[in-house]
Amino acid sequence: MAQTRNRRIVLGITGGIAAYKAAELVRLLIKDGSEVQVVMTQAACGFITPATLQALSGKPVFTDLWDSRVTDGMAHIALSRGADAIVIAPASANFMAKLANGLADDLLSTLCLARECPLMVAPAMNRQMWENKATQRNVAQLARDGVAILGPASGDQACGEVGLGRMLEAQQIFDEVQSQLAPKLLAGKNVLITAGPTFEALDPVRGITNRSSGKMGYAIARAALDAGAKVTLVSGPVHLDAPASARVERIDSAAEMFAAVKKHVKSADIFIGVAAVADYRPERVSAQKIKKKDDDMSLRLVQNPDILAWVAAQPKPPFCVGFAAESQKLNEFADAKRRRKKVQLMVANLAQHAIGADDNEVTLLDDAGLHKLPRAPKTVVARQIVAHVAALGTARRKTRK
Ligand code: C5P
């Protein structure tokens, strides 16, 4: 399967109080496996030190067009070549004015002019500076020139005023960058995803559930959206924000998840069952809280429907992906599940490694065999799973012709 090389991002920081948020952005990009080259304007150095960004990025920070560390004296060329994107965060009104007019009077503006890669800017300024006709003219020009404008957001400003002009939060900028750079492998596809646990009520206050944070399913939803898909996310109870552009159905029980899946499956090209669906539910749900007695009690459980197996058994099923969390004999149990449920791809992970964690280590099992992915953040694993699904889907369409 295709391995992706590390992304190279040039992060430009210009002078504004929001420069402190750039430190968190560097951390998120590095955690995600990107290489980050920080370039700062002189004004930015008044707000945050190059030393902080050097420590976080693990690379020397550049601020000067005439930096002697670049031996041929062409730092603007050396730094912009090989970059997958230049991201300016924060982008001041002054810097956007320079970009809009093609000015190149310092290292950062010169390397933006010399770039061969996408440019994204995250504006940050006082609301009146943002609303000023000159700034709006510059923003419109940048958009016409193909520059992606990330934000700004509205809210409290460092100057004490409230309005539009705040820089997006680091996580939002990170998500936007991922989305802009992701290859559109699932363009035009409808993807239906289940995520999180289910909750099988016993009475109004108690129930049976399982330990699933929903992080893997939500990361796959995000990766599928970034790959250009339309995503419907059927989610059990989790403490996560769903991606804004996904259609989200929140459910509690397996029966509700099944009903939601039945509703959306007809239009799905791809079904990815990431949810940890409870296999059993209490036979009876008490309308009142069950009172404690002086004796032991037993519960009779009845089986829940297997949603994934049902989807895969439809006359014209979507491309089906299952997840198998096992505590032992991982590949053997997961492959048996793949065959029994008749799904094209099974993603296997050890339950003790995956539950609640931010990282995951998975093996992909399909007709071609096993593909072990290295341990990585769930966001990275999700992108690799989406790329694998896209590749298998393309291969399936070719063999059907
Ligand atoms: O059989 P097991 O629960 O281990 O299989 C896991 C896979 O099957 C996951 O993809 C899960 O979402 C799906 N599943 C389901 N309905 C169930 C049980 C599991 O869709 N009742």
Side-chain angles (χ1 to χ4, degrees):
M1 65 170 294
Q3 288 293 326
T4 46
R5 72 165 175 81
N6 287 352
R7 284 206 179 115
R8 296 196 192 104
I9 308 286
V10 171
L11 175 63
I13 306 177
T14 72
I17 180 63
Y20 77 92
K21 293 187 188 173
E24 175 66 4
L25 180 57
V26 174
R27 208 185 60 77
L28 291 170
L29 289 164
I30 295 283
K31 192 170 157 221
D32 189 59
S34 295
E35 283 176 34
V36 183
Q37 174 61 64
V38 177
V39 177
M40 298 171 72
T41 62
Q42 285 303 326
C45 300
F47 289 95
I48 186 167
T49 67
T52 302
L53 295 149
Q54 176 163 335
L56 290 169
S57 66
K59 278 183 189 293
V61 170
F62 287 80
T63 57
D64 186 0
L65 200 47
W66 310 111
D67 197 306
S68 58
R69 287 170 295 185
V70 181
T71 46
D72 63 4
M74 288 198 270
H76 59 296
I77 303 293
L79 296 174
S80 67
R81 292 296 169 264
D84 293 299
I86 300 176
V87 181
I88 312 291
S92 64
N94 176 59
F95 194 77
M96 290 199 301
K98 289 207 289 187
L99 281 181
N101 289 286
L103 294 182
D105 62 355
D106 63 3
L107 176 59
L108 189 56
S109 53
T110 309
L111 76 84
C112 286
L113 203 59
R115 76 183 186 278
E116 296 176 316
C117 61
L119 174 60
M120 303 173 210
V121 299
M125 66 200 71
N126 163 273
R127 69 179 172 86
Q128 267 165 340
M129 289 172 82
W130 173 254
E131 282 162 17
N132 189 294
K133 280 190 180 146
T135 304
Q136 288 305 310
R137 207 168 45 237
N138 292 331
V139 170
Q141 183 60 51
L142 288 173
R144 270 196 298 277
D145 292 346
V147 175
I149 316 287
L150 316 182
S154 188
D156 289 340
Q157 302 207 301
C159 52
E161 296 182 6
V162 179
L164 201 57
R166 264 173 73 96
M167 189 169 87
L168 296 184
E169 296 304 324
Q171 183 68 52
Q172 293 170 304
I173 298 175
F174 173 82
D175 290 345
E176 288 275 357
V177 171
Q178 296 304 331
S179 162
Q180 301 267 345
L181 293 184
K184 303 301 167 213
L185 299 171
L186 296 181
K189 300 283 178 216
N190 286 317
V191 181
L192 177 60
I193 299 170
T194 65
T198 63
F199 181 84
E200 311 299 327
L202 188 55
D203 69 15
V205 291
R206 306 186 188 91
I208 299 172
T209 187
N210 48 55
R211 293 171 59 205
S212 166
S213 64
K215 286 178 187 169
M216 194 67 238
Y218 276 54
I220 291 187
R222 170 94 256 163
L225 285 167
D226 291 349
K230 277 198 186 137
V231 171
T232 303
L233 179 62
V234 180
S235 173
V238 295
H239 303 281
L240 297 173
D241 293 328
S245 39
R247 171 166 60 179
V248 186
E249 292 248 6
R250 296 198 184 274
I251 53 83
D252 279 326
S253 65
E256 289 166 357
M257 182 172 276
F258 194 25
V261 166
K262 279 180 171 169
K263 187 166 106 192
H264 295 292
V265 77
K266 283 182 208 77
S267 55
D269 302 297
I270 298 167
F271 175 71
I272 310 182
V274 197
V277 186
D279 292 323
Y280 297 92
R281 66 180 183 279
E283 186 180 36
R284 260 187 295 278
V285 182
S286 167
Q288 304 302 331
K289 187 179 171 195
I290 300 168
K291 301 304 288 176
K292 188 162 80 177
K293 299 200 186 92
D294 283 341
D295 205 358
D296 296 341
M297 75 175 276
S298 51
L299 279 177
R300 192 176 149 70
L301 302 176
V302 292
Q303 240 184 349
N304 272 330
D306 190 315
I307 300 168
L308 177 62
W310 180 87
V311 171
Q314 292 309 291
K316 281 188 184 167
F319 184 96
C320 285
V321 183
F323 270 68
E326 305 293 346
S327 58
Q328 55 165 334
K329 296 191 186 165
L330 180 61
N331 295 342
E332 185 187 325
F333 285 173
D335 204 45
K337 232 170 239 183
R338 184 178 78 88
R339 289 166 197 281
R340 181 160 34 85
K341 301 197 189 206
K342 299 194 172 55
V343 300
Q344 284 82 6
L345 175 65
M346 191 57 93
V347 182
N349 53 205
L350 281 171
Q352 53 272 40
H353 284 173
I355 290 173
D358 287 336
D359 288 2
N360 203 358
E361 189 176 322
V362 306
T363 301
L364 309 183
L365 297 101
D366 56 29
D367 280 343
L370 303 183
H371 319 266
K372 194 167 175 5
L373 302 184
R375 187 169 189 83
K378 285 180 176 169
T379 50
V380 176
V381 173
R383 284 205 290 275
Q384 290 175 310
I385 293 171
V386 161
H388 197 71
V389 168
L392 287 179
T394 310
R396 188 164 81 143
R397 277 195 301 282
K398 277 190 186 143
T399 52
R400 276 179 163 184
K401 272 183 191 156

